[in-house]
């Protein structure tokens, strides 16, 4: 079975489960699940029930699709994402994006946890991703059979929607909280960076570093979806003063940032139809 046939079968399954076409797609990263509490949930489907859907390997990522309403918009939320460091193919990592697109989604909202390379940022704050650098070992478009799914030489001159970026900035201003903006670099991981790597990231113009999001955004651009992405800043990457970090600390900082993120996503959706 080819890639498109797999996606089609997953899509037919979700349509038969009652998920209507055209919802806004959302992918939630580490530690930012509270947004789900705001949804009027209509369907909750474990990833394991969806034909051809990749198998999650991360115990702290729930691995479920949630469909419902938020601010009068239908949303389809993928809670729990796939990472290159899980040893998955980029087709598997980006499967949720291809599937939501097959379901008619034209917009993608992404969140992730990231380390702050820009030391003007603080733990527990949010950075709007304005641009990115792909430092992972591969591309989701460098695979056999990719041409059946869209063009190969995808333009990446504005991968994050300028219109959605403007909206998000004005939401933060209106609600009086800090929303940083900057460049996100995706590394493969799963090991964290050395001091030398943090110095390197600063020199090349990175503001935040993480292990996700870029593959999904590349595929969303191949599919001509409008994207917006946010990093919740979970640790400071100061090579002069590098404290060992642990995953519990990352989760606690993500929780702090989550409230701002919830406000932005809700208001982005509430102005959607205006
Ligand atoms: N580096 C890479 N990924 C991360 C980090 C980091 O410092 N913090 C959270 N995700």
């Amino acid at each position: 079975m080819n890639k498109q046939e797999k996606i089609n079968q997953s899509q037919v399954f979700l349509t038969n489960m009652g998920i209507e076409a055209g919802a806004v797609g959302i992918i939630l990263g580490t530690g930012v699940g509270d947004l789900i509490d705001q949804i009027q949930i209509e369907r909750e489907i474990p990833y394991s029930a969806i034909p051809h859907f990749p198998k999650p390997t991360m115990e702290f990522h729930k691995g479920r699709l949630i469909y419902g309403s938020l601010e009068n918009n239908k949303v389809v939320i993928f809670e729990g994402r796939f990472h290159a460091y899980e040893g998955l193919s980029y087709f598997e990592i980006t499967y949720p994006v291809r599937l939501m697109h097959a379901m008619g989604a034209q917009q993608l909202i992404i969140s992730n946890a990231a380390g702050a390379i820009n030391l003007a940022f603080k733990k527990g704050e949010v950075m709007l991703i304005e641009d990115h650098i792909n430092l992972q070992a591969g591309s989701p478009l460098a695979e056999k059979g990719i041409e059946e799914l869209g063009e190969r030489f995808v333009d990446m001159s504005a991968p994050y929607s300028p219109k959605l970026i403007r909206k998000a900035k004005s939401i933060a201003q209106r609600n009086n909280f800090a929303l940083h903006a900057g460049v996100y670099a995706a590394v493969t991981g799963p090991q964290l960076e050395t001091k030398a790597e943090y110095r390197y990231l600063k020199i090349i113009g990175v503001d935040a570093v993480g292990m996700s999001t870029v593959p999904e955004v590349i595929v969303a651009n191949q599919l001509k979806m409008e994207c917006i992405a946010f990093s919740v800043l979970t640790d400071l990457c100061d090579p002069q003063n590098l404290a060992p970090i642990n995953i519990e600390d990352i989760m606690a900082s993500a929780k702090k940032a989550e409230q701002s993120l919830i406000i932005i996503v809700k208001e982005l959706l509430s102005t959607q139809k205006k």
Side-chain angles (χ1 to χ4, degrees), residues 20-274:
E20 291 163 38
V24 172
I26 300 178
I27 296 176
L28 292 180
T30 310
V32 283
D34 281 2
L35 180 68
I36 306 283
D37 300 339
Q38 312 280 322
I39 313 282
Q40 285 171 278
I41 298 180
E42 293 175 32
R43 297 282 185 284
E44 187 181 325
I45 302 170
Y47 287 171
S48 57
I50 306 171
H52 309 300
F53 208 82
K55 310 243 171 314
T57 68
M58 300 289 293
E59 66 286 355
F60 51 85
H61 283 230
K62 288 214 179 70
R64 57 179 180 159
L65 180 158
I66 287 155
Y67 172 68
S69 299
L70 181 62
E71 300 293 326
N72 287 324
N73 282 267
K74 294 290 187 199
V75 291
V76 54
I77 300 187
F78 290 84
E79 189 187 21
R81 66 141 55 84
F82 302 104
H83 306 84
Y85 64 71
E86 294 173 75
L88 300 166
S89 72
Y90 282 98
F91 180 68
E92 291 174 298
I93 294 165
T94 57
Y95 202 84
V97 181
R98 297 203 183 276
L99 180 51
M100 68 172 73
H101 178 260
M103 296 295 299
Q106 288 165 3
Q107 284 187 332
L108 172 60
I109 302 174
I110 296 191
S111 73
N112 64 41
I117 298 289
N118 185 331
L119 298 178
F121 299 171
K122 293 195 191 72
K123 269 205 253 189
E125 292 181 329
V126 180
M127 186 189 90
L128 177 60
I129 301 179
E130 285 191 310
D131 206 348
H132 72 223
I133 298 178
N134 183 14
L135 294 176
Q136 294 196 337
S139 159
L141 307 183
E143 285 182 8
K144 271 191 194 147
I146 220 68
E147 62 287 351
E148 72 195 47
L149 303 173
E151 76 180 293
R152 194 186 289 273
F153 301 103
V154 173
D155 175 57
M156 293 294 284
S157 57
Y160 301 88
S161 159
K163 182 185 87 191
L164 294 180
I165 287 174
R166 268 197 308 276
K167 272 192 182 182
K169 285 181 175 173
S170 80
I171 291 166
Q173 234 168 19
R174 228 178 318 137
N175 288 280
N176 237 334
F177 59 78
L179 177 64
H180 301 297
V183 173
Y184 173 88
V187 294
T188 303
Q191 73 285 352
L192 289 146
E193 292 71 35
T194 63
K195 290 175 191 162
E197 286 166 338
Y198 284 144
R199 285 196 297 272
Y200 162 76
L201 290 168
K202 191 168 200 66
I203 289 166
I204 64 171
V206 172
D207 295 294
V209 60
M211 302 173 191
S212 69
T213 303
V214 166
E216 289 106 315
V217 169
I218 292 172
V219 167
N221 274 268
Q222 184 191 36
L223 300 172
K224 311 231 181 299
M225 297 171 76
E226 275 186 323
C227 292
I228 186 156
F230 302 92
S231 289
V232 305
L233 303 167
T234 54
D235 52 292
L236 293 182
C237 307
D238 181 357
Q240 308 288 340
N241 197 1
L242 193 54
I245 62 169
N246 62 49
I247 195 71
E248 286 77 24
D249 194 30
I250 286 186
M251 302 296 262
S253 298
K255 273 262 159 296
K256 238 193 196 166
E258 188 160 24
Q259 297 320 308
S260 318
L261 196 62
I262 288 173
I263 293 172
I264 298 174
V265 172
K266 282 175 78 166
E267 291 203 20
L268 273 177
L269 290 172
S270 73
T271 57
Q272 187 75 272
K273 286 175 178 153
K274 288 177 192 159

